[in-house]
Amino acid sequence: SHRTGYIEPWGIAPDGNAVAAVATDNLGDNVASFPFDSATPPRAITATRGVRQFPRWSPDGRRLAYLAYAPLSAALVIVDASGGAERRIAPDFPAFAWLANDALAVLTSDTVRIVDTLGHARSALAIPPEFRSPGFLVARDPASSRLAYASGAAGGIVVVDLDRKTFTLAIPHQPSLGPVAWSQDGLAIFASGFIAATGADGQRTPRVYRFPLSGGTPTVVATLPPFCTNVVVDTDARHIVCEIRRR
């Protein structure tokens, strides 16, 4: 798809047929579903004034969660994929990931909280100081209750095991990478960004890498077009979506 306003992709639908994106329109930045079939037009999910970011599908594809911004506040909200009223479930600017159809992990600078789709807290886990500063990219392991996120304090990608309540620096010395997906078997993390930052033409070329959690050399899954941003990957990197802005 292409248009004169921004399109920021953030979540591939569980059925692998569409990507949830934030698209600029006359009202602001609204959430829409962009089918991979380019002959099918995008479908608006929200149509209200304001700014929305980071839409991600529930595992069953029936809901979306995203951040909604107002002039003096922000909140994590949920809406039905068919549209309708937003339901606030957490305040501020958290990173987040769906854990199941009825639960999300909400990451602030120092805490991981599990909340249900009504916003009720189920549990909370303090993030150790050396693993703080999670960014907005959080990936869920489909094989267990683990999450991966980029930590500015640790300078790499951290894995938190919600069952064991442990934090591990799984991919060290990679401050320019963000986790975007896991393998289906839970044995590897896919991350996007730059290791070799400059190509033969001098341009920064983003890539998607597969990091085995047992150690070893990462492999390049895909080399993306120059200036491709907002890289979105689903389980096992079956689909990769990104945005190119032309001015």
Side-chain angles (χ1 to χ4, degrees):
S1 183
H2 64 87
R3 60 172 56 193
T4 55
Y6 291 149
I7 308 173
E8 296 182 351
W10 286 107
I12 296 174
D15 62 9
N17 291 324
V19 60
V22 172
T24 300
D25 57 26
N26 292 345
L27 297 172
D29 291 343
N30 274 292
V31 177
S33 174
F34 285 80
F36 287 163
D37 173 11
S38 59
T40 303
R43 176 176 57 87
I45 295 172
T46 67
T48 57
R49 294 191 181 277
V51 176
R52 281 144 189 83
Q53 284 188 314
F54 314 113
R56 296 187 178 97
W57 305 85
S58 60
D60 61 7
R62 297 176 61 184
R63 298 170 180 167
L64 289 113
Y66 50 87
L67 299 186
Y69 297 84
L72 298 177
S73 65
L76 175 61
V77 302
I78 289 178
V79 70
D80 288 343
S82 58
E86 296 175 338
R87 182 168 63 252
R88 171 177 158 156
I89 64 169
D92 300 324
F93 301 87
F96 69 93
W98 286 91
L99 294 177
N101 293 322
D102 64 345
L104 297 94
V106 178
L107 285 72
T108 60
S109 61
D110 58 4
T111 306
V112 179
R113 289 185 294 122
I114 309 304
V115 300
D116 65 19
T117 53
L118 297 177
H120 301 142
R122 293 184 176 179
S123 63
L125 180 62
I127 302 176
E130 64 270 26
F131 296 131
R132 289 180 181 173
S133 304
F136 284 107
L137 291 177
V138 182
R140 179 184 67 90
D141 177 7
S144 72
S145 60
R146 295 183 298 175
L147 300 170
Y149 66 90
S151 167
I157 295 174
V158 170
V159 169
V160 51
D161 188 316
L162 297 174
D163 287 338
R164 299 181 179 179
K165 298 180 172 55
T166 59
F167 292 79
T168 305
L169 181 57
I171 304 175
H173 314 302
Q174 297 296 345
S176 298
L177 293 179
V180 286
W182 288 69
S183 61
Q184 186 66 42
D185 57 15
L187 299 179
I189 291 175
F190 295 92
S192 68
F194 308 95
I195 291 182
T198 306
D201 56 2
Q203 293 180 329
R204 298 188 72 188
T205 304
R207 295 181 173 91
V208 176
Y209 302 89
R210 183 184 187 275
F211 284 85
L213 291 176
S214 60
T217 304
T219 56
V220 177
V221 175
T223 298
L224 305 178
F227 309 112
C228 221
T229 61
N230 296 332
V231 178
V232 183
V233 180
D234 60 2
T235 302
D236 282 331
R238 294 168 300 180
H239 302 91
I240 301 173
V241 180
C242 63
E243 170 200 17
I244 296 176
R245 296 184 180 182
R246 297 185 175 95
R247 296 176 175 87

